[in-house]
């Protein structure tokens, strides 16, 4: 990924985090997913009083990109801070991301320090992926 896109996606994830709707957990997450052509889509967690209806930031970003017609993803930046550390994507988000690119770069950003804490591949944290077999 070009450095310019990397920096833009990093700041987008940090910036959009301010829009998280998290009145129940008070835990705000911002995400920015980068397509193979360098387009960036952002997302935040959107909670609900029926807790199970909550959508994570990662899926919000991906759903927004897919809605706009994009399906090829290179990386996702996830900005958060829980007790001083950036969090990993949850199991549901790993499964959803893996459907599009199991080798996607996952970049964990600490929203306090604004620094990249981990830069790994989805396959590193989500082996043994469940695949149904796609028609297209
Ligand atoms: N959350 C995310 O948005 N992404 C993650 O990677 C972990 C969890 C949200 C969901 C919920 O709004 C809050 O964090 C607490 O679980």
């Amino acid at each position: 990924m070009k450095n310019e896109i990397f920096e833009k996606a990093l700041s987008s994830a940090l910036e959009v985090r301010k829009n998280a709707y998290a009145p129940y957990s008070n835990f705000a997450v911002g995400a920015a997913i980068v397509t193979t052509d360098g387009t960036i889509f952002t997302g935040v967690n959107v909670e609900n009083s029926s807790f199970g209806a909550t959508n994570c930031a990662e899926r919000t970003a991906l759903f927004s990109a897919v809605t706009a017609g994009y399906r090829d993803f290179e990386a996702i930046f996830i900005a958060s801070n829980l007790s001083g550390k950036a969090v990993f994507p949850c199991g549901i988000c790993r499964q959803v991301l893996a459907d599009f690119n199991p080798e996607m770069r996952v970049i964990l950003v600490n929203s306090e320090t604004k620094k990249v804490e981990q830069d790994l591949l989805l396959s590193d944290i989500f082996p043994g992926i469940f695949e149904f077999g796609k028609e297209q």
Side-chain angles (χ1 to χ4, degrees):
M1 192 187 323
K2 282 195 206 133
N3 206 41
E4 182 199 332
I5 306 286
F6 188 98
E7 293 302 327
K8 203 173 154 199
L10 174 60
S11 51
S12 298
L14 287 165
E15 185 62 30
V16 79
R17 181 173 167 272
K18 295 172 184 142
N19 297 334
Y21 176 69
Y24 302 100
S25 71
N26 273 319
F27 180 62
V29 185
I33 195 162
V34 184
T35 69
T36 48
D37 74 359
T39 309
I40 298 167
F41 290 89
T42 57
V44 295
N45 50 330
V46 181
E47 297 188 343
N48 192 270
S49 58
S50 174
F51 294 169
T54 292
N55 208 67
C56 293
E58 296 90 325
R59 276 175 289 142
T60 308
L62 180 133
F63 294 158
S64 170
V66 172
T67 302
Y70 290 85
R71 293 181 178 187
D72 298 321
F73 305 114
E74 189 175 339
I76 187 161
F77 292 72
I78 307 161
S80 67
N81 183 293
L82 185 65
S83 309
K85 291 254 174 221
V87 299
F88 283 91
C90 81
I92 296 173
C93 287
R94 293 179 202 200
Q95 177 70 36
V96 171
L97 294 167
D99 223 87
F100 292 86
N101 179 9
E103 299 299 325
M104 192 182 306
R105 253 173 104 179
V106 176
I107 298 156
L108 308 183
V109 183
N110 187 309
S111 55
E112 284 302 305
T113 63
K114 309 207 182 314
K115 299 250 183 277
V116 171
E117 224 165 70
Q118 305 234 27
D119 186 343
L120 32 80
L121 297 179
L122 183 54
S123 57
D124 296 329
I125 56 170
F126 196 57
I129 171 180
F130 169 71
E131 286 181 291
F132 199 74
K134 290 178 189 161
E135 292 295 319
Q136 52 168 358

